[in-house]
Amino acid sequence: MSAVTAEHDHDEHHDHGPEKGFLRWIVTTNHKDIGTLYLFFALAMFFVGGTMALIIRAELFEPGMQFVTPQFFNSMTTMHALVMVFGAVMPAFVGFANWLIPMMIGAPDMALPRMNNMSFWMLVAGVMMLASTLFMEGGAPASGWTLYPPLVLQTGAALPFAIFSVHLLGISSIMGAINIIATIFNMRAPKMTLMKMPLFVWTWLITAFLLIAIMPVFAGAVTMLLTDRFFDTSFFDAAGGGDPVLYQHIFWFFGHPEVYVMILPTFGIASTIIPVFARKALFGYSSMVYATAAIAFLSFIVWAHHMFTVGMPLSGELYFMYATMLIAIPTGVKIFNWTATMWRGSMTFETPMLFSIAFVVLFTLGGFTGLMMALAPIDFQYHDTYFIVAHFHYTLVPASVFILMAGGYFWLPKWTGNMYDERLGQLHFWLSAVSVNILFFPQHFLGLAGMPRRIPDYAVQFSDWNMVSSIGAFIFGFSQLMFVYIVVKTIKGGTGEKVTDEVWEGAAQHSLEWTLPSPVPYHTFATPPENIPTEHY
Amino acid sequence: MMSTQDAYYIPHKATWPIAATLGLLTSLAGFANYLNGNAAGSTFMLIGLGIFILMLAGWFTMQATESETGMYNRGVGISYRMGMMWFIFSEIMFFAVFFGTLWYTRNLSVDWLAGIGEGPGRSSGLLWPSFEAVWPTNGPGNVGGEYEPMGAFGLPLLNTLLLLTSGVTCTWAHHGLLANNRSQLIKGLAATVGLGFLFVGFQALEYMEAYHDMGLTLGSGIYGSTFFMLTGFHGFHVCVGAIILSVVLFRSWKGHFTPENHFAFEAAAWYWHFVDVVWLGLFIFVYMM
């Protein structure tokens, strides 16, 4: 391209600034604005979903019924999961993708900026529709986030709203994923070959494929729920020749890749942060890429390990058991690569690195409990107990959420030009890391002892550990308010210390965004960068 | 020579997406209210659909104008093509759900209901002793009452021929466009659109026959459910495809598109071929087998 002869990385005289006033946030097509919208929306939903979790933990603080009705309790478990998955964790990663992918590959913006705006507003519409079910006759869906029939078909007025909110969220995710794929394939700087892309870009590319493949599947499944309830079909009704178990198969064909949608970008951010603070290149770059692809492929052929107790043929149980255990191999590759990256590194322990190290340790723990439940005969004992609750919360909270926090601390100085308060950041980390274990570790014991999940009351022998868990939940929940305070303070000027362009020592050798000024201008890489960092491979 | 046109076009604000969101939200909320028996629901549904259709017209007019005034370079064209490709892939996954449902019920769950392939200690064979695993079926409960299954040779076969022919005329139009032969482009597109709407007409006829003469409805057990869900969603996609092609036909008649620059035509043609292939799957797995 002849345009590379231009001297400046960013082109001032063609710079269109942001729209004036509030309208800016509604009509914007700028990837940084849309990234900010996604991140703030996700943070708000994190507290909405978190409040629901605290209602659950308050009710479970002691045996007996204290605060809510059983029906409302079940609505809370359902809505907590849906809000956290579709409103908080996924949008947060899309926010990071929007902010970072164009800057990391040297592109001026996302490939399809108008659609980028639309996918954000469709997300808001979907979550609003979901939240509206809380105020409806018969209450919000109370079937668990899996929405299994026939139970979910007993939902009151909320059912069609919940189903249509899934459709809207699906539209939003598919549009976002298409945009990410088109951006990565079509907008890279000339020298940015695929195997030179930062791992965050790689993991999102693979995640985007997963999203396009699974969101339509979930949409199809809930459409069949809709017709079974309102249009006389018999998809999940044995009397008409259908089968409720069919729904479970379709749901988990969506659901298993869906949980990897939340963990693969986590791996990407961890693989970006750990090398910077270990002051080394990432160990095993290409094996990281292949491991991510392998995990994504395996996610499509293991779904029925969520259904071991449903009454499958023995051959099915065996196949899904062995296939599931295979996932430990590429995941192990990743864990060892992160460890090897830190090995003999000149490590420093700023807040992003603390969260990342906690992620490596605690995600491994969550991975091991997953391996335990992959064994079909053992799963018969653990199925639908608090053991599974402990397992997936370890892979989501001290993994995905911790890494989202790490990413926030890591890039916030770049985005705002201000440094966050390191002392407060570390206090936030230690409060979170300790309380998250007080919260979830005892749930392993409860599950092994036989406490079922999704119940508002329990037998008295479970009292002690439930009390410990609830105390951890409240410490963890309120600690997160610190994050809001730190973020707001940083945006408003932080510690007063102006950060350098590189922010973190040596970061510019790892990824392109650190070569830009801090704070990053509204438009970046109007012309593609000539050189790209080479540290990470 | 590569100064402004070489730059990737980045729009600086977008007003249609929020209209799209409001339209869709209103119509879906209206539809949900309608399903709950709320009288105002259908009004809101129509208002929302109206907003959505206006949005489509406005947004696509803007895109067509921008394209014709040369604002899109090759890179933008590649992004659009990738967008369309992956959108069609998502549609394939949507249809895969319903094909998968058909496969699962025909090969697994109906057999299990009749007690076939069950291990010892299972009970469905005892629950429904008189139920036999045959396809088509409306289940052990004879849900929806007596019905006659839809045959393959008659309207469905005719529709197969119509849709395959429309695929040919569509490709013929594409060749016309590439050779700068506008009359061939317009004739080919007009034939494709005509065949598409004829298909939809015949399918409506087939549905009326099913409902009025054969007792076959959406409520006829799993056979009726899978039959109408698969053919219904396909028919809806044929309608959408035919409308897209009509817009492309109108734009061709207005003199849009060149042999080098015709993304809208390509996207419509890809979509049409996708709908065509889905129908072949339907004809084999729903009607013939």
Side-chain angles (χ1 to χ4, degrees):
Chain A
M1 285 173 92
S2 62
V4 290
T5 50
E7 290 111 283
H8 301 290
D9 268 349
H10 58 99
D11 194 345
E12 279 104 337
H13 51 275
H14 279 128
D15 235 7
H16 296 252
E19 286 283 308
K20 296 276 181 292
F22 184 70
L23 203 62
R24 164 183 176 184
W25 300 104
I26 292 172
V27 301
T28 183
T29 54
N30 181 284
H31 72 102
K32 300 180 183 81
D33 279 354
I34 295 174
T36 305
L37 284 170
Y38 265 109
L39 287 171
F40 274 111
F41 183 77
L43 190 60
M45 288 305 121
F46 178 61
F47 284 97
V48 172
T51 306
M52 293 171 178
L54 291 185
I55 292 171
I56 294 169
R57 282 320 315 174
E59 180 57 53
L60 293 176
F61 185 70
E62 283 182 291
M65 299 304 299
Q66 271 78 232
F67 303 108
V68 295
T69 62
Q71 171 75 21
F72 185 74
F73 182 90
N74 288 340
S75 289
M76 283 297 102
T77 58
T78 308
M79 295 293 281
H80 162 70
L82 290 170
V83 168
M84 285 301 200
V85 171
F86 293 104
V89 176
M90 284 168 68
F93 281 118
V94 180
F96 277 105
N98 257 300
W99 254 104
L100 296 170
I101 288 175
M103 296 201 294
M104 283 179 163
I105 63 173
D109 206 302
M110 297 293 280
L112 303 160
R114 286 177 183 136
M115 198 168 78
N116 202 9
N117 175 300
M118 187 156 153
S119 52
F120 174 73
W121 288 110
M122 286 285 175
L123 165 75
V124 177
V127 173
M128 271 170 54
M129 203 170 226
L130 185 66
S132 72
T133 62
L134 281 166
F135 308 101
M136 283 175 193
E137 205 184 319
S143 58
W145 79 291
T146 52
L147 308 176
Y148 281 177
L151 181 60
V152 75
L153 298 175
Q154 297 173 16
T155 307
L159 186 68
F161 290 92
I163 288 171
F164 293 146
S165 84
V166 168
H167 287 142
L168 287 169
L169 295 168
I171 293 171
S172 163
S173 291
I174 291 169
M175 288 194 301
I178 288 175
N179 212 345
I180 285 169
I181 291 180
T183 305
I184 296 173
F185 278 151
N186 195 30
M187 308 286 282
R188 295 193 316 278
K191 283 188 184 167
M192 181 66 74
T193 56
L194 286 174
M195 289 308 272
K196 286 180 185 170
M197 296 192 308
L199 259 172
F200 179 66
V201 182
W202 256 115
T203 51
W204 244 116
L205 177 64
I206 291 164
T207 304
F209 284 119
L210 292 186
L211 278 172
I212 300 179
I214 62 171
M215 292 315 293
V217 173
F218 193 21
V222 295
T223 305
M224 288 191 273
L225 289 178
L226 187 81
T227 58
D228 265 17
R229 163 84 176 257
F230 294 104
F231 298 99
D232 304 328
T233 57
S234 308
F235 290 110
F236 309 128
D237 178 9
D243 186 357
V245 177
L246 170 62
Y247 176 87
Q248 302 189 15
H249 280 293
I250 302 174
F251 178 85
W252 286 111
F253 184 85
F254 148 80
H256 200 72
E258 165 66 24
V259 299
Y260 289 3
V261 164
M262 293 185 283
I263 204 69
L264 294 184
T266 308
F267 294 165
I269 293 181
S271 306
T272 310
I273 292 177
I274 291 173
V276 171
F277 293 97
R279 289 168 183 76
K280 278 176 66 188
L282 179 69
F283 185 89
Y285 171 85
S286 52
S287 70
M288 284 298 218
V289 173
Y290 299 136
T292 311
I295 292 171
F297 168 74
L298 288 171
S299 74
F300 282 105
I301 57 168
V302 297
W303 73 88
H305 66 219
H306 297 266
M307 307 160 53
F308 278 145
T309 59
V310 85
M312 274 189 295
L314 182 64
S315 51
E317 306 256 330
L318 288 173
Y319 162 74
F320 283 108
M321 174 170 93
Y322 290 127
T324 302
M325 284 192 286
L326 279 181
I327 301 171
I329 297 168
T331 313
V333 167
K334 286 183 164 291
I335 304 280
F336 283 117
N337 279 346
W338 290 317
T339 315
T341 305
M342 287 187 270
W343 178 253
R344 294 190 164 178
S346 308
M347 301 230 284
T348 50
F349 299 93
E350 287 88 347
T351 313
M353 186 60 164
L354 289 173
F355 273 109
S356 300
I357 295 172
F359 152 76
V360 175
V361 175
L362 297 175
F363 176 74
T364 306
L365 201 67
F368 281 146
T369 53
L371 206 51
M372 289 166 75
M373 279 177 301
L375 299 161
I378 292 180
D379 180 76
F380 271 65
Q381 170 76 18
Y382 302 158
H383 195 95
D384 268 349
T385 67
Y386 255 82
F387 194 78
I388 183 72
V389 177
H391 158 69
F392 68 71
H393 279 101
Y394 261 92
T395 63
L396 274 171
V397 185
S400 296
V401 173
F402 269 28
I403 281 296
L404 286 166
M405 298 290 173
Y409 286 112
F410 188 56
W411 280 293
L412 204 56
K414 178 86 240 169
W415 296 338
T416 61
N418 305 318
M419 200 59 191
Y420 65 87
D421 188 329
E422 183 64 43
R423 278 168 60 92
L424 282 182
Q426 296 202 9
L427 183 64
H428 172 220
F429 165 75
W430 285 109
L431 278 172
S432 301
V434 172
S435 63
V436 86
N437 284 294
I438 301 175
L439 162 56
F440 293 120
F441 208 81
Q443 296 184 358
H444 291 114
F445 311 145
L446 290 169
L448 291 173
M451 178 174 160
R453 68 191 287 204
R454 290 172 180 156
I455 47 132
D457 189 9
Y458 49 83
V460 285
Q461 73 262 32
F462 303 129
S463 306
D464 292 348
W465 288 123
N466 267 305
M467 199 172 276
V468 173
S469 178
S470 292
I471 291 168
F474 278 87
I475 301 175
F476 182 80
F478 284 97
S479 305
Q480 304 318 307
L481 293 171
M482 279 187 72
F483 183 68
V484 180
Y485 174 75
I486 296 168
V487 168
V488 172
K489 195 177 155 199
T490 310
I491 292 172
K492 289 193 159 173
T495 52
E497 170 198 352
K498 285 292 157 199
V499 295
T500 60
D501 289 356
E502 197 175 51
V503 183
W504 310 105
E505 185 192 12
Q509 288 157 274
H510 291 268
S511 182
L512 272 176
E513 74 272 24
W514 308 107
T515 63
L516 295 165
S518 302
V520 256
Y522 195 59
H523 292 288
T524 43
F525 294 126
T527 54
E530 281 193 62
N531 292 310
I532 60 164
T534 52
E535 181 69 21
H536 61 76
Y537 60 91
Chain B
M1 65 192 162
M2 288 166 98
S3 56
T4 49
Q5 246 136 359
D6 194 49
Y8 193 97
Y9 173 61
I10 310 263
H12 286 285
K13 62 178 181 178
T15 41
W16 291 115
I18 195 76
T21 309
L22 289 176
L24 210 53
L25 187 63
T26 314
S27 64
L28 285 177
F31 188 31
N33 270 303
Y34 164 80
L35 290 173
N36 285 336
N38 189 333
S42 48
T43 315
F44 280 102
M45 193 169 104
L46 290 176
I47 292 172
L49 275 178
I51 297 173
F52 195 74
I53 289 167
L54 284 176
M55 176 283 298
L56 285 176
W59 195 335
F60 282 108
T61 306
M62 176 179 76
Q63 294 284 136
T65 314
E66 286 178 354
S67 173
E68 287 304 307
T69 47
M71 286 162 81
Y72 300 158
N73 67 357
R74 196 171 150 272
V76 176
I78 293 173
S79 290
Y80 285 164
R81 279 168 181 79
M82 282 183 183
M84 192 65 197
M85 253 168 55
W86 291 106
F87 169 65
I88 290 175
F89 175 66
S90 78
E91 292 268 51
I92 291 171
M93 291 308 292
F94 184 72
F95 275 99
V97 178
F98 301 109
F99 278 107
T101 299
L102 183 65
W103 179 86
Y104 180 91
T105 46
R106 284 188 66 165
N107 292 294
L108 299 173
S109 65
V110 171
D111 278 3
W112 292 339
L113 274 177
I116 300 172
E118 282 195 316
R122 303 286 178 80
S123 56
S124 6
L126 300 171
L127 266 178
W128 315 98
S130 61
F131 179 66
E132 282 181 54
V134 285
W135 189 264
T137 179
N138 56 356
N142 196 26
V143 171
E146 291 309 310
Y147 66 94
E148 200 186 317
M150 185 62 72
F153 303 103
L155 277 180
L157 181 64
L158 181 63
N159 262 349
T160 308
L161 296 174
L162 286 181
L163 218 48
L164 287 179
T165 314
S166 78
V168 175
T169 55
C170 183
T171 305
W172 188 65
H174 198 180
H175 282 288
L177 173 54
L178 291 177
N180 229 342
N181 182 344
R182 191 142 300 258
S183 100
Q184 183 179 331
L185 167 66
I186 291 173
K187 279 182 208 152
L189 274 174
T192 314
V193 171
L195 289 166
F197 282 119
L198 202 59
F199 174 95
V200 176
F202 279 137
Q203 194 171 14
L205 213 61
E206 181 191 328
Y207 275 19
M208 283 201 284
E209 209 177 298
Y211 265 76
H212 291 142
D213 307 329
M214 301 163 73
L216 177 61
T217 69
L218 199 54
S220 300
I222 192 66
Y223 174 69
S225 307
T226 48
F227 175 83
F228 282 106
M229 200 71 147
L230 275 159
T231 56
F233 268 118
H234 175 265
F236 172 71
H237 281 75
V238 175
C239 290
V240 172
I243 292 168
I244 297 173
L245 282 169
S246 307
V247 175
V248 171
L249 173 61
F250 176 73
R251 286 185 60 190
S252 307
W253 174 71
K254 293 275 277 183
H256 290 196
F257 307 128
T258 62
E260 295 79 34
N261 179 21
H262 54 265
F263 162 69
F265 179 93
E266 264 180 53
W270 290 349
Y271 195 79
W272 195 249
H273 290 311
F274 150 71
V275 168
D276 214 357
V277 171
V278 171
W279 175 259
L280 284 181
L282 285 178
F283 189 64
I284 294 168
F285 293 111
V286 175
Y287 289 97
M288 280 174 48
M289 287 177 75

